Amino acid sequence: MALRLYDTGSRSKRRVEYQGDALTIYACGITPYSDSHIGHARQAIAFDILVRWLRSQNVPVKYVTNFTDVSDTIIEAAEKEGVDYTVISNRYITGYRKSMKRLNVLDADAYPRVTESIDGIISMITTLVEKGHAYQGDDGVYFEIETAPEKYGYLTGQTLEMVKSGAGGRVDDTGIGKRDHRDFALWKFEKSDGPSWESPWGRGRPGWHIECSAMVYEHFGERVDIHGGGSDLMFPHHEAEIFQSECCFGIAPFASHWMHNGMINVDGEKMSKSLGNFWTITDAIDAVGEIVLRYSLINAPYRQPIDFNEVLLKDAELNYRKLLNCILNAGGMTDGTSWEKYEKLLISEEAFVSGMNDDLNTRVAIAETQVVVKLMGQSLREQNRGLTDACIGWLAKYAGEVLGIIPSEKEISLMMDDRAKKRSNIEKEVDDLIEQRRVARSEKNWTEADRIRDVIEKMGVSLQDDDNGTHWQITGD
RNA sequence: GCACGAGUGGCAGAGUAGCUAUGCAACGGACUGCAGAUCCGUGGACCCGGGUGCAAAUCCCGGCUCGUGCUCCA
């Protein structure tokens, strides 16, 4: 396979390979305790682009992403509202799925939930206890780091000693029954009346990390080709998964590639509720539209931090408008037009493909898309239908199918209808005004001509004067 | 403190040894009565100091600055 992907484990770009019938991808999803934010959107889009790219290259892919549908945060939210915890998790899962759809994120093959994976979780913990990697403490079952110290720091380069010295007071609150503060919980015993399940060690609920190991096993077996999530999950979450899965099944590596997307800052600061610079996905979509949001989130390659700010959004919006206008001006999408006769398009294709194969460089991919949009602008001007159709074919495949930044054909044709309707509603009036303006212009009455132009533009119409007279079109909404 | 990553034109942001990134902005031009839109073109950059090379933004060493992580996190 031509795709080279950065692997956090080896800290290098490595060729992607797969062993079974399909390439397996697991991404850690959200904990649904509040509205999803643009950081969640970025993570989902990064993996969506990975899946779309592989599929467009005819690689069979199985993609699974989970919901951590039981957690302290969910339980707190439920208590606050006086509802069952499932009310909270279901509400935000529904909201998340809805947002993903709007952002053109394709459905994963499965969305497992912790609460539906309890059996698998218990069975993994049982094995870990039997093999001597886990022990029961006063308040839960813990994984014992000292039983596999060589695995510590695989993703983050941290050593056992560093965590002890640097973590300050925070390590005190993570469980009182541990032998070592770096051990992590596999099963937490029931404290009050929160959700809990029977287990060989007593009623309780899973620790945060074990769910993903269990779900990967359930869907893919002992190992997975690509595993990932936000870079903030590297430690401790993903390192904990490595301990659990590798020790449970006696295999290594658990994941061939670890893929981590970068975080989002807002106006140069970390996005957080307390700073008040927090964007939920729905807020962002309301502000700029769903595809512009998606465009802005793939403007930088997935590993780079993104600064979410006015300039980024303005840029994404402008470039998206250009793309969309070209398509609308060309009369919408056309089916299956190839571009192999046009050398410029082949060159752009080559650049796009090699950019994507180089660790999913969406920045290069977007740059090539912009090149093609420009070419299409020339083509429309010259009324070169063959080239225009070829450009549309290129854009449909690369900007549409791969990057997901073109609305569906259905939406495009709705936009076209809408334009046509608007046009026919005002056609007569505009034509009359243009005629009046033409007369004023022929009399060199520029004041009157400009006044009429203002009137026309207020109707949402833009005029173009050229040799053949005056043309007009509905301004992009 | 330790770990990981980053510092590129006015701005966003690719490139990782020799060949135009791209977009916005600026400037010049075509078109226009003017403007807008569109198109054509121009200039301008590689944090600092050393080193290796015919050649370094790109590799190596040192420094400075910034971001993130270090058991809530996408």
Side-chain angles (χ1 to χ4, degrees):
Chain A
M1 194 179 313
L3 173 62
R4 286 162 58 81
L5 193 65
Y6 185 85
D7 167 42
T8 313
S10 59
R11 290 176 190 85
S12 60
K13 291 179 192 173
R14 291 182 26 242
R15 207 164 275 282
V16 172
E17 312 280 356
Y18 64 106
Q19 303 168 3
D21 332 323
L23 190 142
T24 53
I25 303 174
Y26 182 95
C28 292
I30 60 159
T31 300
Y33 71 95
S34 66
D35 287 318
S36 299
H37 56 71
I38 54 175
H40 299 130
R42 186 180 192 197
Q43 182 271 328
I45 290 169
F47 282 83
D48 183 52
I49 297 263
L50 169 68
V51 171
R52 282 167 175 265
W53 178 242
L54 289 167
R55 291 198 172 134
S56 80
Q57 302 302 102
N58 301 313
V59 176
V61 172
K62 279 187 190 154
Y63 173 47
V64 171
T65 187
N66 73 299
F67 290 115
T68 303
D69 65 343
V70 56
S71 74
D72 290 341
T73 42
I74 293 173
I75 294 164
E76 272 167 35
E79 278 168 2
K80 215 169 179 179
E81 289 188 30
V83 296
D84 191 71
Y85 81 101
T86 56
V87 172
I88 301 293
S89 57
N90 285 328
R91 179 198 301 156
Y92 294 116
I93 287 172
T94 306
Y96 176 83
R97 296 290 303 272
K98 211 180 267 176
S99 293
M100 290 307 115
K101 210 170 187 69
R102 295 184 69 185
L103 289 172
N104 256 342
V105 173
L106 302 178
D107 281 348
D109 295 302
Y111 293 94
R113 302 180 180 203
V114 179
T115 56
E116 293 165 354
S117 313
I118 301 292
D119 290 350
I121 289 170
I122 289 175
S123 119
M124 271 192 83
I125 300 175
T126 305
T127 306
L128 287 169
V129 172
E130 278 167 5
K131 288 193 170 182
H133 287 294
Y135 59 88
Q136 184 168 343
D138 292 339
D139 56 349
V141 179
Y142 291 93
F143 187 95
E144 187 165 22
I145 294 287
E146 278 300 337
T147 64
E150 74 285 354
K151 296 189 192 300
Y152 211 86
Y154 178 68
L155 296 174
T156 55
Q158 303 186 95
T159 64
L160 291 165
E161 294 70 32
M162 287 169 188
V163 176
K164 187 181 273 174
S165 56
R170 275 169 293 181
V171 297
D172 298 337
D173 316 323
T174 57
I176 51 171
K178 296 177 177 186
R179 291 181 188 160
D180 185 293
H181 78 269
R182 291 158 300 195
D183 293 349
F184 55 87
L186 297 169
W187 190 264
K188 297 174 169 176
F189 293 150
E190 173 173 40
K191 270 181 273 188
S192 48
D193 46 303
S196 65
W197 290 263
E198 285 301 339
S199 85
W201 317 280
R203 279 196 79 82
R205 58 190 172 89
W208 174 34
H209 315 299
I210 189 70
E211 56 178 272
C212 289
S213 284
M215 291 176 195
V216 168
Y217 181 67
E218 186 188 333
H219 288 271
F220 299 137
E222 296 177 352
R223 55 168 297 288
V224 60
D225 294 312
I226 301 175
H227 190 136
S231 61
D232 51 350
L233 297 185
M234 284 192 276
F235 188 94
H237 184 59
H238 287 156
E239 291 205 353
E241 281 188 60
I242 291 171
F243 278 111
Q244 293 161 352
S245 292
E246 295 189 357
C247 291
C248 182
F249 303 118
I251 49 109
F254 164 51
S256 305
H257 265 84
W258 284 95
M259 168 171 161
H260 291 100
N261 62 276
M263 301 288 102
I264 293 184
N265 296 321
V266 175
D267 294 323
E269 286 182 300
K270 182 173 172 166
M271 180 170 79
S272 76
K273 285 183 178 167
S274 53
L275 283 171
N277 60 359
F278 196 83
W279 286 81
T280 67
I281 298 174
T282 41
D283 285 348
I285 289 176
D286 287 348
V288 297
E290 49 265 285
I291 299 193
V292 171
L293 177 59
R294 184 176 171 107
Y295 204 116
S296 70
L297 294 180
I298 60 174
N299 183 56
Y302 74 92
R303 288 194 291 135
Q304 292 308 96
I306 282 184
D307 192 51
F308 199 74
N309 58 42
E310 288 288 328
V311 176
L312 176 77
L313 292 175
K314 205 189 97 203
D315 218 62
E317 175 149 29
L318 198 116
N319 282 299
Y320 171 62
R321 287 255 162 262
K322 283 190 179 182
L323 169 68
L324 187 64
N325 271 329
C326 266
I327 292 169
L328 294 178
N329 291 342
M333 304 302 284
T334 45
D335 296 332
T337 313
S338 90
W339 53 88
E340 62 213 9
K341 286 190 299 190
Y342 297 94
E343 203 197 340
K344 284 185 177 171
L345 288 172
L346 290 173
I347 291 169
S348 285
E349 175 173 40
E350 152 80 30
F352 186 102
V353 168
S354 69
M356 288 301 284
N357 277 330
D358 182 15
D359 199 28
L360 304 173
N361 192 332
T362 49
R363 178 64 237 179
V364 167
I366 284 187
E368 280 321 306
T369 301
Q370 288 165 348
V371 169
V372 172
V373 166
K374 191 165 195 171
L375 180 66
M376 188 162 159
Q378 294 166 16
S379 165
L380 283 166
R381 190 183 169 81
E382 290 159 9
Q383 304 193 351
N384 181 342
R385 191 68 227 184
L387 178 57
T388 300
D389 284 344
C391 288
I392 292 181
W394 193 104
L395 291 171
K397 168 141 185 172
Y398 291 118
E401 199 184 303
V402 175
L403 297 181
I405 49 173
I406 294 182
S408 68
E409 283 195 37
K410 203 172 130 195
E411 287 166 296
I412 299 259
S413 69
L414 281 173
M415 289 179 205
M416 301 279 306
D417 290 351
D418 195 49
R419 273 198 177 186
K421 205 176 287 168
K422 264 193 205 157
R423 191 175 173 102
S424 69
N425 284 345
I426 55 174
E427 191 156 33
K428 182 151 190 328
E429 193 179 349
V430 172
D431 284 344
D432 287 351
L433 287 165
I434 286 175
E435 176 56 20
Q436 289 172 35
R437 177 164 170 270
R438 191 193 61 77
V439 173
R441 289 176 80 206
S442 68
E443 291 162 357
K444 298 203 191 310
N445 186 349
W446 308 129
T447 324
E448 175 63 4
D450 290 350
R451 187 194 65 78
I452 296 171
R453 181 168 63 198
D454 284 348
V455 170
I456 296 174
E457 279 173 356
K458 285 222 171 67
M459 295 165 69
V461 168
S462 70
L463 296 182
Q464 293 156 267
D465 298 320
D466 63 30
D467 301 344
N468 305 321
T470 301
H471 305 282
W472 63 279
Q473 65 177 47
I474 308 279
T475 318
D477 44 326

